[in-house]
Amino acid sequence: MVRGGGAVQVVRPADLAQAHEAMASSTAAGQLVSIRAGGTKQDWGPPLAPAPDLVVDTTGLDALVAHNAGDLTAVVGAGMALSRLQERLAGAGQWLALDPPSQPRGATVGGLLATGEAGPRRHRYGSLRDLVIGVTMVLPDGTVARSGGQVIKNVAGYDLAKLLCGSQGTLALVTEVSLRLHPLDAHSATVRIPATPTEATPLVVGLLAAPVVASALDWAGGALWVRIEGSAGGVRSQVEEVRSLAAEGSAPSAVLEGEEEARAWEELARIEAGEEGDTLAVATSLPSQLAEVAEASDRAAGEVGVAADLVSRAGLGLHTARLRAEDLGAHAGFISAWRRAVQRLGGTVVVRRHPPGLEEVADLLGPPPSAVEVMGRVKDQMDPGHRLGRGRFSPWWL
Amino acid sequence: MGALEEVKAELARVLPPDAVVTDPAELATYSCDGLAGYRTTPGLVVLPTSTEGVASAVRACSARGVPFVARGSGTGLSGGALPHAEGVLIVLSRMRRILEVDPVNQRMVVEPGVTNLAMSKAVAAHHLYYAPDPSSQVVCSVGGNVAENSGGAHCLKYGFTTHHVLGLEVVLPDGSVVELGGRTLDPPGYDLRGVFVGSEGTLGIATRVTVRLLRLPEAVATLVADFPDPSTAGEAVSGIIASGIVPAAVEMLDNLAIQACEAATGAGYSLDAGAALVVELDGPREECLGRFGEVEAICRGAGATRVRVAGSEDERALIWKGRKAAFAAMGRLSPGYFVQDGVIPRTALGPVLARIAHLASEAGLRVANVFHAGDGNLHPLVLYDPDRPGEPERAEELATRIVELCVDAGGSITGEHGVGVDKACSMPKMFSEDDLAVMARVRAAFDPAGICNPGKVFPTPRLCGEVIGPYRPHPLELAGVAERW
Ligand SMILES: Cc1cc2nc3c(=O)[nH]c(=O)nc-3n(C[C@H](O)[C@H](O)[C@H](O)COP(=O)(O)OP(=O)(O)OC[C@H]3O[C@@H](n4cnc5c(N)ncnc54)[C@H](O)[C@@H]3O)c2cc1C
């Protein structure tokens, strides 16, 4: 990474003081700064532009500062890899209820917070936004600030952790995160129900209305996947209930457990994570609009001649389309066609991962929301020089 | 004509006559919220019935730099809706229409004045409900819930307002109207809805709220277990958590609280118990009832002297009636009392209660404790006699020392009642100057002129005196690498 002939400087702070030092000195030098952790999502969204002068690598901030098992809380360095955190927590029968597709590739807690990425179990537990109870951050000018705390219930002061969730590393460097944990369930089973999106939609609606508590409710690869977790008896009876609901319509369902179940979810996560060169676009809708969103994706893909694989968080109305053809024009065509259709349904389409250059031919973020001006003012307040993650929300602001 | 007079004249023109209150006697009825110790008669009260009406009022204020304060049902317990003498109180209680119910997608759109319970009632026929259930739910408004990020007894499992609000229509302090969040998840851009929830009316006025609804659980099981003392009851809670159960609710009452609740409701709590634990599980029948058996066994194993399982929906309701009456019931034990609201890490309960008892005996006062034992939210009730000289002051001081104690134990100065005016001066106990300055920056992005509910949340020299609270080390100093800076 080279800009204007000068090499990019990389710092890897080992503690808050060094993080403060790095940010404060970047102010004096007027450097453009970007934050990097696991590096699994640097190709998400609009690219950094121009390239940063300073990259802050957070992987040195990787301590498990505290695990208060009895309080169901933990405090971790932002650079800690999620998979390593999960290993540490598992000893106490707990976990951070988050299973993002990028976890096996080394995603960190801070990176997940900044990008808002979550996985299938978001259906039951929400995303990191719903699990974070406090943050320590360093602003681009070096100011160190905290919000929230270390207790699950707390309404003192503004909840700035929420603001940082999904901020794509453009407001502050997160150094430490306090988290709410959940117990690991003893038993798990997944019901696989073969169904087209059109067949799956009434099932999704039916499952939402049923007293079943699913951990995940995804549509992908020609099937609806319903994961149930809990005690042995609870899983058994709910699996039966799901199967009997499914029996009313479609092809026979299968129940996956153990290794087979784990492999099936890993496979779905691989599709959702994509590979280098792929474009991943995420559409939002109401859960009942699954069939329409999927149909719109097929149509858009057909029009421009690409293959689009869809992974839908069906119960939540979040749909990831993965495009593989390395034809930027086709990707751009798909995005605008799909977005037009999804907007008519009341949703949005945003591009996550994409090959370099797509930003030149496609609108990655779509139309700005009505609150774009306040968002811009929040950015101005936190980072007046717009030095942090410049480009990530282009063209909404610098 | 003064600025406020100009606002009055303009609003008299644009709002219907019955939406503008200027009569001094009527104005005085709005002088406080649920925290009656702070009172200010508002300069003007308006009761708009639409977003446009709210926006007109805000624009009129904004044009002249006149402060305004939103008010929902006025049940707030931190003085958040305390009016401004030279400002406008914008009351949302006439905006109480349910605009849309989408049972299929489990969403609902309401105006801010709709009461918390009215939302759940409106969707009960679809087997749905709105999860956050503050004890004040019959009266408090969803707009107030949004501002306070309110929670109820069930928030360990189901979360707070912030987990259930998907979208907000907000009138910003300059009078413009924007959407924060939306009907679908993950709208692009910063999560301003996340900051707005819990901002105590300092970032704008919510005029429309989109919430998600939950499916009513198939089964609910509730028990009351008696223990010799709160510490032992705390052990039982630890046992429940350690066995991987997340109860829908765990509430604890100490003996003094039990006395008051029984006197008021006759709900059947044991008067001789040192502590009572209410544990509720809910969910799919098998899952719920199977694990409920474990909870019962854990309570007995931890030393429960009596376990009473609610055998019917009526009995369950009665148990909750007793618990929810706790604050109001305290009047039967004492002519005056302060309700405190602090949070501790749940596992610190034993030492914190011992410390509270010690402080109470030093002050020669009684303290009753009601505790959301799952999430660590402690409600000590400090009892005093208003007629004894010096006692109210001593009680207030004790209440303040108790929240400081919560912070020292790693907790928070407030779990649900908010900061408002009441605890603004305690904010420096929890947050450094820089922490507060960064929050103030966010505030400035929404409200550069500082006219939206001024004097709340943030400590000011006017409110707190020049020296704001004792010094607390900054994280950098704790890390041993920076001096005070
Ligand atoms: C007996 C009793 C029990 C309680 N129990 C609980 C409990 O269990 N859990 C809990 O969390 N709280 C509890 N509370 C506190 C209180 O009920 C909540 O804070 C509630 O959310 C306040 O709602 P309200 O409509 O009365 O708001 P108000 O008191 O009118 O206002 C509260 C704050 O919200 C702001 N506000 C109001 N409407 C809007 C709006 N539309 N847009 C922006 N800002 C607005 C006001 O400016 C003010 O700062 C209790 C209170 C009482 C009296």
Side-chain angles (χ1 to χ4, degrees):
Chain A
M1 285 199 289
V2 172
R3 183 171 86 98
V8 173
Q9 189 191 340
V10 179
V11 292
R12 188 169 176 272
D15 56 31
L16 179 61
Q18 290 179 10
H20 158 73
E21 194 54 47
M23 296 299 262
S25 67
S26 80
T27 313
Q31 290 172 308
L32 296 186
V33 181
S34 102
I35 303 162
R36 185 186 183 92
T40 64
K41 290 181 276 288
Q42 293 290 316
D43 57 355
W44 275 35
L48 297 167
D53 309 299
L54 174 71
V55 172
V56 180
D57 173 348
T58 64
T59 54
L61 302 164
D62 63 346
L64 176 57
V65 180
H67 175 200
N68 309 308
D71 296 309
L72 292 168
T73 61
V75 183
V76 304
M80 183 165 210
L82 178 60
S83 52
R84 211 163 64 83
L85 174 64
Q86 304 289 31
E87 278 164 27
R88 300 282 296 271
L89 301 175
Q94 297 183 348
W95 72 309
L96 174 63
L98 192 71
D99 56 354
S102 62
Q103 177 171 339
R105 291 187 294 132
T108 64
V109 172
L112 290 162
L113 184 99
T115 55
E117 194 201 9
R121 264 107 134 210
R122 178 172 178 181
H123 180 75
R124 175 165 167 194
Y125 295 104
S127 64
L128 199 41
R129 172 198 192 275
D130 303 302
L131 302 170
V132 58
I133 55 177
V135 284
T136 304
M137 68 190 105
V138 186
L139 266 51
D141 64 8
T143 304
V144 173
R146 292 173 316 126
S147 144
Q150 293 191 25
V151 281
I152 291 171
K153 196 169 188 186
N154 175 14
V155 296
Y158 293 165
D159 191 350
L160 300 185
K162 299 276 188 293
L163 188 60
L164 297 175
C165 289
S167 67
Q168 314 291 349
T170 62
L171 294 177
L173 166 69
V174 176
T175 57
E176 203 171 276
V177 185
S178 305
L179 299 161
R180 187 252 146 99
L181 307 176
H182 283 86
L184 282 165
D185 282 309
H187 299 270
S188 172
T190 297
V191 185
R192 178 182 182 280
I193 308 162
T196 63
T198 308
E199 292 162 348
T201 302
L203 251 174
V204 168
V205 166
L207 281 164
L208 290 176
V212 170
V213 177
S215 299
L217 178 49
D218 279 6
W219 183 90
L224 193 63
W225 306 78
V226 189
R227 185 171 201 159
I228 306 286
E229 291 172 289
S231 63
V235 171
R236 203 181 315 112
S237 64
Q238 291 183 80
V239 162
E240 278 322 304
E241 185 155 0
V242 172
R243 296 192 79 180
S244 71
L245 271 166
E248 287 164 20
S250 49
S253 58
V255 180
L256 312 181
E257 283 172 298
E259 272 299 303
E260 198 189 4
E261 182 187 27
R263 268 201 311 278
W265 285 108
E266 277 163 25
E267 186 47 42
L268 294 180
R270 258 198 297 280
I271 302 174
E272 196 181 341
E275 280 167 22
E276 214 172 312
D278 292 354
T279 290
L280 299 176
V282 177
T284 69
S285 76
L286 295 171
S288 65
Q289 294 169 326
L290 167 63
E292 288 151 287
V293 172
E295 196 187 306
S297 160
D298 285 347
R299 211 173 329 109
E303 274 168 27
V304 297
V306 293
D309 293 321
L310 201 67
V311 176
S312 283
R313 207 110 300 140
L316 300 175
L318 296 170
H319 320 268
T320 304
R322 178 198 194 189
L323 310 177
R324 312 212 58 184
E326 280 187 34
D327 171 356
L328 293 183
H331 289 203
F334 173 88
I335 291 158
S336 65
W338 199 32
R339 179 176 287 140
R340 263 196 313 277
V342 168
Q343 280 178 351
R344 271 197 299 274
L345 297 171
T348 56
V349 170
V350 169
V351 176
R352 287 190 162 171
R353 188 167 204 181
H354 60 87
L358 186 66
E359 68 279 2
E360 320 238 316
V361 289
D363 178 357
L364 302 185
L365 299 179
S370 66
V372 70
E373 271 181 43
V374 205
M375 292 179 188
R377 291 204 296 269
V378 169
K379 170 72 175 172
D380 294 342
Q381 287 287 339
M382 302 287 277
D383 178 19
H386 287 227
R387 293 187 296 108
L388 191 58
R390 186 181 286 187
R392 287 295 189 204
F393 279 96
S394 166
W396 294 357
W397 55 79
L398 256 190
Chain B
M1 190 154 49
L4 182 63
E5 291 305 314
E6 285 178 24
V7 170
K8 246 183 234 181
E10 177 172 333
L11 293 182
R13 250 191 342 269
V14 300
L15 295 177
D18 70 340
V20 182
V21 176
T22 51
D23 171 58
E26 209 180 323
L27 286 177
T29 63
Y30 291 98
S31 64
C32 67
D33 61 7
L35 187 71
Y38 292 87
R39 284 175 188 274
T40 304
T41 301
L44 177 70
V45 170
V46 293
L47 299 118
T49 52
S50 67
T51 300
E52 195 29 56
V54 174
S56 305
V58 172
R59 271 196 306 269
C61 291
S62 165
R64 298 165 185 87
V66 167
F68 62 89
V69 178
R71 177 182 167 109
S73 304
T75 67
L77 291 172
S78 54
L82 180 73
H84 200 285
E86 302 297 321
V88 179
L89 187 71
I90 300 175
V91 181
L92 286 314
S93 57
R94 285 194 192 162
M95 290 180 69
R96 53 192 332 149
R97 281 179 304 165
I98 290 174
L99 300 171
E100 198 186 321
V101 176
D102 178 354
V104 170
N105 290 299
Q106 308 186 334
R107 283 156 166 77
M108 183 176 193
V109 186
V110 297
E111 290 186 330
V114 172
T115 64
N116 175 292
L117 191 62
M119 296 200 286
S120 287
K121 279 194 170 160
V123 297
H126 302 289
H127 305 291
L128 297 171
Y129 74 114
Y130 175 68
D133 60 340
S135 302
S136 51
Q137 66 182 160
V138 181
V139 189
C140 67
S141 71
V142 66
N145 292 176
V146 165
E148 301 289 344
N149 190 16
S150 298
H154 295 86
C155 50
L156 174 67
K157 182 167 177 183
Y158 292 107
F160 314 95
T161 303
T162 192
H163 300 113
H164 299 273
V165 168
L166 295 172
L168 296 166
E169 177 189 78
V170 168
V171 175
L172 293 174
D174 65 1
S176 60
V177 180
V178 295
E179 296 283 332
L180 309 182
R183 188 171 305 206
T184 60
L185 301 181
D186 293 355
Y190 296 141
D191 184 0
L192 298 186
R193 157 198 56 143
V195 196
F196 192 92
V197 175
S199 62
E200 303 196 25
T202 60
L203 301 180
I205 300 185
T207 47
R208 197 178 270 220
V209 186
T210 303
V211 301
R212 73 184 182 112
L213 303 167
L214 298 190
R215 172 66 164 83
L216 281 166
E218 185 178 26
V220 183
T222 310
L223 63 75
V224 183
D226 295 346
F227 290 90
D229 53 66
S231 275
T232 319
E235 300 287 314
V237 181
S238 294
I240 294 169
I241 301 284
S243 70
I245 295 169
V246 179
V250 199
E251 299 285 308
M252 193 193 297
L253 304 169
D254 71 3
N255 181 269
L256 210 47
I258 292 171
Q259 303 287 343
C261 292
E262 269 309 289
T265 63
Y269 289 89
S270 310
L271 290 170
D272 58 352
L277 205 57
V278 179
V279 187
E280 185 161 287
L281 300 197
D282 67 9
R285 188 171 318 280
E286 283 264 342
E287 182 72 34
C288 171
L289 300 182
R291 304 231 76 178
F292 191 66
E294 287 178 51
V295 169
E296 240 187 289
I298 291 166
C299 287
R300 289 189 203 282
T305 51
R306 172 178 174 240
V307 176
R308 167 187 172 204
V309 175
S312 67
E313 186 52 36
D314 285 348
E315 192 174 358
R316 195 173 79 80
L318 190 61
I319 290 171
W320 277 110
K321 186 177 170 199
R323 159 58 189 91
K324 292 198 175 183
F327 296 175
M330 216 46 69
R332 295 180 182 252
L333 297 191
S334 171
Y337 57 97
F338 288 109
V339 178
Q340 191 46 288
D341 166 45
V343 188
I344 55 171
R346 188 194 59 77
T347 47
L349 179 68
V352 169
L353 285 186
R355 186 82 194 122
I356 290 177
H358 179 75
L359 290 175
S361 80
E362 262 183 8
L365 295 167
R366 289 185 302 168
V367 175
N369 286 292
V370 181
F371 187 46
H372 300 298
D375 54 36
N377 191 186
L378 194 59
H379 289 304
L381 298 131
V382 180
L383 315 188
Y384 65 92
D385 184 346
D387 294 332
R388 285 213 202 126
E391 210 168 285
E393 292 75 18
R394 273 207 327 279
E396 194 172 353
E397 195 179 309
L398 175 57
T400 303
R401 290 191 66 185
I402 290 174
V403 274
E404 292 176 18
L405 184 63
C406 292
V407 176
D408 292 342
S412 168
I413 56 171
T414 170
E416 54 186 28
H417 296 168
V419 177
V421 280
D422 190 35
K423 287 181 177 163
C425 301
S426 296
M427 285 289 271
K429 304 252 161 46
M430 248 187 103
F431 295 108
S432 73
E433 263 175 56
D434 281 345
D435 300 341
L436 293 170
V438 172
M439 291 179 198
R441 289 197 204 185
V442 171
R443 175 170 190 181
F446 281 81
D447 179 22
I451 55 171
C452 186
N453 209 5
K456 314 291 170 66
V457 183
F458 294 94
T460 59
R462 195 173 68 83
L463 205 62
C464 312
E466 286 305 329
V467 187
I468 312 176
Y471 166 64
R472 228 177 110 252
H474 190 276
L476 273 185
E477 296 174 273
L478 286 177
V481 276
E483 308 275 299
R484 179 135 205 212
W485 46 277

